[in-house]
Amino acid sequence: MPEGRPQGKIPGRTMLLLGGGATAAAGLVLGLTLLMGGGPGGDGPAATVTSTQVGRADGLVTVPPVAGLGARAATERLAGLRIPVGAVIRVPSFRRAGTVVRSYPGDGTVLTEGERVTLYVSAGMGG
C-alpha cells in the first residue's frame, strides 16, 4: 500500500469539485424543467380550475388558465377579467413559437385588483 494518503479518504479538492459539479447539474436540470414548462405553473399535473373559480369577486380576481394559448388570446382572456399583463418574456421551449408556456402568478392564483401577470411565451427552440 502506497504511503502518504490513508485508504478510503478523498482529498478535499476532489470533494469540492464533485460537489460543485453536482450543484451545477442540479441547477441545469431545474432551469431546463422550468423553461420547458414544468414545475410551478407549467405543463405538469395541473390543478383543476372550474369556471366558478375563475372571475372577479370583491376586488379579487383568479388567474385563469392561459398555458397553451397564443400570446394574443391569453392577453385577451386576462383583459376580459381586467388583469393587466406586466411583461411578456420569450423563453426557449418545445412549444410552437408564440404559445404561452406558463404565467406567473399561475392558474388559480387569487390576485387583488391591479396586480399584474407575467406571460412566458415560447420563442421556439431557436431561442
Side-chain angles (χ1 to χ4, degrees), residues 11-71:
R13 197 158 100 191
T14 303
M15 288 296 288
L16 184 62
L17 288 172
L18 289 172
T23 301
L28 178 64
V29 169
L30 176 61
L32 287 175
T33 300
L34 292 173
L35 285 175
M36 297 304 175
D43 292 331
T48 302
V49 180
T50 65
S51 59
T52 57
Q53 294 171 313
V54 176
R56 302 185 71 81
D58 300 324
L60 301 177
V61 63
T62 304
V63 178
V66 293
L69 297 176

Side-chain angles (χ1 to χ4, degrees), residues 1 18 22 39 63 67-68 83 94 104 107 109:
M1 179 159 112
L18 289 172
V63 178
I83 300 173
F94 286 111
Y104 180 83
D107 306 353
T109 302

